[in-house]
């Protein structure tokens, strides 16, 4: 696009990065820079923990001060009692993106949940609703029996998945039993993605790993000092089912165990730091290898916003 061209009204920015990489601050910096250039912008959450109203502290959801006057969408938008699937989030994100374009604003997606981003851009397999009796039967299997059943009924899924990945194995088994068709067969044709209907300006943040892990450790310790324990106390008081995503979010099980008197506070902090680092590592690996090769990958300190997002600033 030339400097004199009219900006594409279907442009969408994306800043993706692992937890604690500074992506949210960078998204706000971009929004403010665009506003100064005469293009109002807003930030749309693409993080699977930050969607829950119950997880202000443990998800490191931006505060009003962090937002610096920039409109934010889909942060704390779901009550913890209501699971937010990738399909749920993608539908909500599509509405927010459309509304932003109608208002002549640039939507900036920010997050590190690869499944959310992929579902929005590529769509989702049109799998029919799973028979509840089949789902209950599958979910009652222990890990060895589950893996053995998947090996017999969907060998491709068994070969692709780790034997300990019970959530994805259960999904594969319930799909093939309920529909008579393996999961990969459904996934060959996805529907609902917006990737071909927008001009995407993506940036993947890949900071130095040691810096990232140290930041994860420091942040979790600060969370414990600044309301994370009280946040989990409120969740436990709601007596929500343990299998809800909000109850399995990073830090919640570790702090819940501490509140029940199992580990000490220091042990709970160490456990929370470990699972946070593990999560950041998984995100880092996904972001490094799974997005298209043409997506720019940079360390945060090397980002020049106007250069990286030149297409958004061009006129």
């Amino acid at each position: 696009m030339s400097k004199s061209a009219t900006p594409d009204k279907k442009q969408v920015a994306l800043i993706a990065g692992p937890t604690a990489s500074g992506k949210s601050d960078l998204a706000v910096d971009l929004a403010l820079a665009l506003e100064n250039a005469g293009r109002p912008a807003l930030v749309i959450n693409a993080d699977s923990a930050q969607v829950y109203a119950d997880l202000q502290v443990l998800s490191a959801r931006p505060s009003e001060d962090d937002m610096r006057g920039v409109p934010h969408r889909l942060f704390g938008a779901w009550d913890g009692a209501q699971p937010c699937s990738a399909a749920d989030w993608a539908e909500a994100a599509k509405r927010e993106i459309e509304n932003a374009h109608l208002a002549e604003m640039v939507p900036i997606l920010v997050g590190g949940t690869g499944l959310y981003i992929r579902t929005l851009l590529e769509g989702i397999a049109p799998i029919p609703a799973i028979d509840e009796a089949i789902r209950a039967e599958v979910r009652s299997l222990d890990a060895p029996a589950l893996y053995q059943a998947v090996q017999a009924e969907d060998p491709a899924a068994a070969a692709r998945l780790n034997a300990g990945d019970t959530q994805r194995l259960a999904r594969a088994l319930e799909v093939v039993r309920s529909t008579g068709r393996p999961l990969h067969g459904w996934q060959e044709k996805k529907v609902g993605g917006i990737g071909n209907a927008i001009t995407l300006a993506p940036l993947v943040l890949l900071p130095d790993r040691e810096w990232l892990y140290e930041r994860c450790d420091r942040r979790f310790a600060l969370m414990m000092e600044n309301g994370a324990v009280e946040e989990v106390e409120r969740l436990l008081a709601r007596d929500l089912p343990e299998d809800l995503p909000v109850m399995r979010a990073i830090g919640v099980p570790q702090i819940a165990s501490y509140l029940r008197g199992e580990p000490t506070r220091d042990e709970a902090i160490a456990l929370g730091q470990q699972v946070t680092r593990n999560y950041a590592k998984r995100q880092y690996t996904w972001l490094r290898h799974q997005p298209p090769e043409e997506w720019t990958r940079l360390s945060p300190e090397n980002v020049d916003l106007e250069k990286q997002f030149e297409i958004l600033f061009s006129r």
Side-chain angles (χ1 to χ4, degrees), residues 190-209:
K190 297 180 178 180
V191 297
I194 66 169
N196 292 329
I198 63 171
T199 299
L200 186 68
L203 171 63
V204 176
L205 296 179
L206 294 178
D208 174 78
R209 286 179 185 260

Side-chain angles (χ1 to χ4, degrees), residues 18-19 206 209 212-213 216 250 274-289:
T19 187
L206 294 178
R209 286 179 185 260
L212 179 65
Y213 297 156
C216 287
I250 289 173
Q274 182 63 61
V275 295
T276 304
R277 293 195 304 271
N278 291 346
Y279 180 57
K281 182 178 180 180
R282 291 195 300 273
Q283 288 179 303
Y284 196 106
T285 300
W286 190 91
L287 290 165
R288 184 177 181 182
H289 298 290

Side-chain angles (χ1 to χ4, degrees), residues 1 3 7-8 10-15 25-44 68-71 100-101 104-109 199-202 304-315:
M1 181 185 293
K3 293 291 184 182
D8 180 355
K10 296 296 185 182
Q11 290 174 336
V12 177
L14 167 64
I15 299 178
D25 288 339
L26 199 61
V28 173
D29 289 342
L30 175 60
L32 293 173
L34 284 168
E35 184 177 0
N36 288 337
R39 299 201 69 190
L42 57 79
V43 175
I44 300 174
R68 288 180 273 164
V70 173
H101 287 152
E104 298 188 352
M105 301 180 75
V106 180
I108 304 170
L109 293 164
T199 299
L200 186 68
D304 180 324
L305 288 173
E306 292 203 21
K307 179 179 179 181
Q308 176 58 40
F309 294 99
E310 181 180 8
I311 190 172
L312 304 180
F313 291 91
S314 299
R315 287 286 183 180

Side-chain angles (χ1 to χ4, degrees), residues 40-314:
L42 57 79
V43 175
I44 300 174
N45 171 48
D47 180 280
S48 61
Q50 291 185 346
V51 299
Y52 292 111
D54 310 75
L55 299 178
Q56 169 75 55
V57 178
L58 278 174
S59 72
R61 199 167 76 225
S63 66
E64 288 295 326
D65 288 344
D66 295 329
M67 295 178 188
R68 288 180 273 164
V70 173
H72 280 56
R73 301 288 186 265
L74 303 186
F75 290 84
W78 270 262
D79 183 88
Q82 180 64 45
C84 177
S85 69
D88 294 332
W89 174 84
E91 286 302 313
K94 282 189 277 188
R95 290 193 297 270
E96 294 293 351
I97 289 169
E98 182 179 5
N99 290 337
H101 287 152
L102 289 172
E104 298 188 352
M105 301 180 75
V106 180
I108 304 170
L109 293 164
V110 60
T113 302
L115 182 59
Y116 276 22
I117 295 167
R118 189 170 60 202
T119 300
L120 175 66
L121 298 177
E122 300 176 8
I124 194 166
I127 301 170
I130 302 300
D131 182 283
E132 287 301 324
I134 290 175
R135 171 163 287 166
E137 180 183 359
V138 168
R139 301 299 164 123
S140 70
L141 298 174
D142 61 24
L146 176 62
Y147 189 62
Q148 186 176 18
V150 176
Q151 284 180 308
E153 299 177 50
D154 187 351
R160 185 177 68 253
L161 298 171
N162 185 285
D165 192 349
T166 55
Q167 185 174 357
R168 289 185 174 85
L169 287 168
R171 178 61 175 166
L173 186 59
E174 69 183 20
V175 167
V176 72
R177 286 188 175 180
S178 185
T179 70
R181 184 178 175 186
L183 185 58
H184 67 85
W186 289 104
Q187 291 174 334
E188 288 173 354
K189 187 175 182 180
K190 297 180 178 180
V191 297
I194 66 169
N196 292 329
I198 63 171
T199 299
L200 186 68
L203 171 63
V204 176
L205 296 179
L206 294 178
D208 174 78
R209 286 179 185 260
E210 292 305 314
W211 176 89
L212 179 65
Y213 297 156
E214 189 277 332
R215 189 176 169 97
C216 287
D217 286 351
R218 180 158 37 91
R219 191 175 72 172
F220 193 85
L222 287 172
M223 287 175 176
M224 289 288 284
E225 296 295 330
N226 293 302
V229 175
E230 293 77 10
E231 193 165 76
V232 175
E233 281 181 321
R234 290 191 292 271
L235 266 177
L236 294 177
R238 297 187 64 186
D239 198 26
L240 298 174
E242 291 293 324
D243 61 350
L244 283 175
V246 74
M247 299 303 293
R248 294 185 281 108
I250 289 173
V252 173
Q254 293 74 32
I255 296 175
S257 294
Y258 160 66
L259 289 170
R260 296 184 184 110
E262 295 168 19
T264 65
R265 185 182 180 90
D266 287 345
E267 288 169 341
I269 291 173
L271 289 168
Q273 291 171 330
Q274 182 63 61
V275 295
T276 304
R277 293 195 304 271
N278 291 346
Y279 180 57
K281 182 178 180 180
R282 291 195 300 273
Q283 288 179 303
Y284 196 106
T285 300
W286 190 91
L287 290 165
R288 184 177 181 182
H289 298 290
Q290 294 302 317
E293 290 184 3
E294 61 268 23
W295 288 18
T296 302
R297 292 154 170 84
L298 291 173
S299 186
E301 68 271 15
N302 295 327
V303 176
D304 180 324
L305 288 173
E306 292 203 21
K307 179 179 179 181
Q308 176 58 40
F309 294 99
E310 181 180 8
I311 190 172
L312 304 180
F313 291 91
S314 299

